[in-house]
Amino acid sequence: MEYKPGTKELTLTRVLVLCATVILLEGFDIQAAGVSAPRLAPAFNLLPSQLGLFLGASAVGIFHISRAGRISCR
């Protein structure tokens, strides 16, 4: 395989853009629960304890994602 100038930089840029996109989408997912909770509570007649369960589920998801990364490296 022949080396082409700029190939390494292009690959690095693509990887960084992909990683930034994943981080952005993960942050959006976490924020969406907090923003939507005040409107979901009256629409579904949620009690404060049920609303807490909804908001806590996103934090549990983050924990499982971190564990999945360690398992996949084995």
Side-chain angles (χ1 to χ4, degrees), residues 42-61:
F44 290 103
N45 297 322
L46 296 177
L47 299 172
S49 61
Q50 294 169 325
L51 191 58
L53 183 63
F54 168 71
L55 293 171
S58 64
V60 171

Side-chain angles (χ1 to χ4, degrees), residues 4-73:
K4 297 178 184 175
T7 304
K8 185 176 182 180
E9 291 81 11
L10 182 62
T11 302
L12 178 62
T13 303
R14 286 180 182 168
V15 169
L16 290 176
V17 167
L18 181 62
C19 289
T21 303
V22 169
I23 290 169
L24 178 74
L25 292 175
E26 180 62 29
F28 175 77
D29 181 37
I30 294 168
Q31 292 295 323
V35 171
S36 64
R39 292 189 180 196
L40 285 175
F44 290 103
N45 297 322
L46 296 177
L47 299 172
S49 61
Q50 294 169 325
L51 191 58
L53 183 63
F54 168 71
L55 293 171
S58 64
V60 171
I62 292 171
F63 174 73
H64 288 296
I65 288 171
S66 66
R67 298 288 298 167
R70 290 183 184 186
I71 293 170
S72 67
C73 289

